[in-house]
Amino acid sequence: MRESWSRIDAWLRTHAPASFRVLAPPADPGTVEKAQMHMGLRFPSDLLDSLACHDGQTEWANVFPEKPPVPVAEMVSFWQTSVELAGDDPDLCEPQEDGGEPWWHPQWIPWAHSDCDAQIIDMREGPARGRIGSSQHDDSASFHGGWPSLAAYLEEVADVLEHGGTVGPWAPYLTSDGELWWAFAGETTLNGSPLTPAPTSRKTQRTSS
């Protein structure tokens, strides 16, 4: 996890320093412990390692292909609001179809979110514990097309920044202001301004003559 963050940080410092400055410093360990106690959950080790690198972002920015990671305090706030809204309403706290997911479960950690939607870490017991999925404000949650862990997700982000490719449907670009921006592969503009495919960190090999 720390290696993935180190790779992401290095890429941002080199190619999109304005985006790097949006990343927050490490989380306070005491705040992290209080959050776990309040939520009645123990955070997975990869989330703890991630928070020891960056406590989310200081403001909204499209630094990641999914939702922007948020500070611990915002995780708790989103979790609390969702738990209270779901309550014991079977339409919200129970799956509406066989094999489906509820709208919210108290053992989900909203490590990243915006616009009332979240990227969640599933902490329910079982072989899929720690997997990454999505929670929608107007639909049931889903783990289809997600990642087996936060560590796997951030490693994929680092790999794509360094070597090219996509994270799901999202490809990295640089805006005309030099900020990192994730959009569908093949996009060429953002609000009328050009998008440039993000440079990779691959070393070019020279052929000897």
Side-chain angles (χ1 to χ4, degrees):
M1 171 59 71
R2 292 174 186 259
E3 180 183 356
S4 293
W5 265 120
S6 178
R7 293 164 61 198
I8 293 169
D9 288 350
W11 190 95
L12 290 172
R13 286 193 190 99
T14 300
H15 301 292
S19 295
F20 175 74
R21 289 192 290 271
V22 169
L23 298 178
D28 173 68
T31 300
V32 174
E33 181 61 30
K34 289 179 181 178
Q36 294 179 92
M37 293 178 63
H38 181 83
M39 297 166 69
L41 294 170
R42 301 309 299 178
F43 290 177
S45 59
D46 53 6
L47 177 57
L48 292 173
D49 285 345
S50 178
L51 292 170
C53 296
H54 296 289
D55 188 18
Q57 298 180 185
T58 58
E59 61 185 71
W60 188 93
N62 198 15
V63 181
F64 286 86
E66 295 289 332
K67 297 298 179 181
V70 297
V72 174
E74 291 189 29
M75 289 186 210
V76 173
S77 177
F78 190 102
W79 177 89
Q80 184 70 48
T81 297
S82 299
V83 167
E84 291 175 355
L85 286 173
D88 56 3
D89 185 343
D91 290 336
L92 298 177
C93 65
E94 297 178 7
Q96 298 305 296
E97 57 184 37
D98 291 341
E101 297 292 342
W103 177 80
W104 187 259
H105 194 284
Q107 289 182 294
W108 291 343
I109 301 172
W111 98 284
H113 64 76
S114 68
D115 299 326
C116 300
D117 297 332
Q119 192 178 28
I120 53 177
I121 302 173
D122 187 4
M123 293 307 294
R124 292 173 294 184
E125 294 292 339
R129 192 179 193 195
R131 63 182 173 168
I132 299 289
S134 59
S135 168
Q136 308 298 321
H137 71 279
D138 58 355
D139 202 355
S140 299
S142 175
F143 292 90
H144 178 72
W147 290 265
S149 66
L150 179 60
Y153 170 66
L154 290 182
E155 182 178 18
E156 186 170 339
V157 171
D159 286 344
V160 168
L161 289 175
E162 289 184 343
H163 306 297
T166 62
V167 178
W170 309 108
Y173 296 86
L174 291 181
T175 69
S176 57
D177 294 326
E179 297 176 346
L180 176 61
W181 189 271
W182 295 83
F184 291 119
E187 292 287 329
T188 58
T189 61
L190 174 67
N191 299 325
S193 297
L195 283 174
T196 304
T200 66
S201 299
R202 288 178 294 189
K203 295 182 179 179
T204 57
Q205 295 182 348
R206 297 181 179 178
T207 56
S208 57
S209 55

